Amino acid sequence: MTAEATSFETRDRAWWLVLVEGIALVIMGAILLFAPGKTKVEFYQIMVAVLGLYWIIGGVLTLVNMFMDHTAWGWKLFMGIISIIAGGYILMYPIVAAVSLPKVFVLVLGIWGLMQGILYLVLAFKGGGWGMGILGGLMLLFGIYLVANWSAPGMGLAMIWAVAITGLIGGIIMIFQAIRQKMA
């Protein structure tokens, strides 16, 4: 029996993939919250680089998971490729990404958060665990907020705090989920 591209049956992700993604989220959140950004330019450069790296790492991990668990492979392939392309673009053009942050970048990040949140919620309801469900809910709320307010002044600063807090909370939850999976 072959897996269909849109099927949503799933097994738990490999515990070490969940652990690696959780650690990456915690590091990203900590850098965004506690970086000693001496100037706004330095802070934006750190944020843009970390976000680009996170998207690339997340996309690669999604593709690795697709080969380990073939269920819903179409969605995993789509999300993995989109994440890698977005992260690569950000790293190749960090100044363009930093300048466009208040409008276009917030909108793209909001749409990504919506898609990733929906995917994580579906996977959680199909056996991915409570950690995946909480992270999916946080990402969905984050995406809705950004899409609804993408053109508001000051969204760049609001996005920094939202990404940092979501990264810390979601990363900690994913680390606990990985430990729980390993022990089960």
Side-chain angles (χ1 to χ4, degrees), residues 26-163:
V26 168
I27 291 170
M28 179 192 71
I31 289 173
L32 291 177
L33 278 177
F34 306 116
K38 296 176 183 174
T39 65
K40 289 182 181 181
V41 172
E42 288 176 355
F43 191 74
Y44 273 141
Q45 288 173 343
I46 290 170
M47 188 199 63
V48 167
V50 167
L51 190 57
L53 286 173
Y54 171 73
W55 276 357
I56 289 174
I57 291 168
V60 169
L61 291 176
T62 300
L63 293 177
V64 168
N65 185 50
M66 178 187 73
F67 288 110
M68 296 177 66
D69 178 9
H70 299 293
T71 57
W73 67 268
W75 286 110
K76 292 174 187 174
L77 178 66
F78 176 72
M79 290 303 297
I81 290 172
I82 292 297
S83 293
I84 291 170
I85 290 170
Y89 182 83
I90 288 169
L91 290 177
M92 289 189 314
Y93 303 106
I95 296 186
V96 172
V99 170
S100 65
L101 182 64
K103 293 191 180 205
V104 177
F105 193 63
V106 172
L107 181 61
V108 169
L109 185 61
I111 292 169
W112 176 82
L114 287 172
M115 292 170 53
Q116 195 77 16
I118 290 168
L119 179 64
Y120 280 5
L121 285 174
V122 168
L123 292 175
F125 284 115
K126 296 295 184 176
W130 60 268
M132 183 77 72
I134 292 172
L135 183 60
L138 286 172
M139 292 184 88
L140 190 62
L141 290 173
F142 170 68
I144 290 169
Y145 179 76
L146 289 179
V147 168
N149 298 300
W150 69 277
S151 64
M155 277 306 294
L157 183 58
M159 185 194 69
I160 292 169
W161 287 100
V163 168

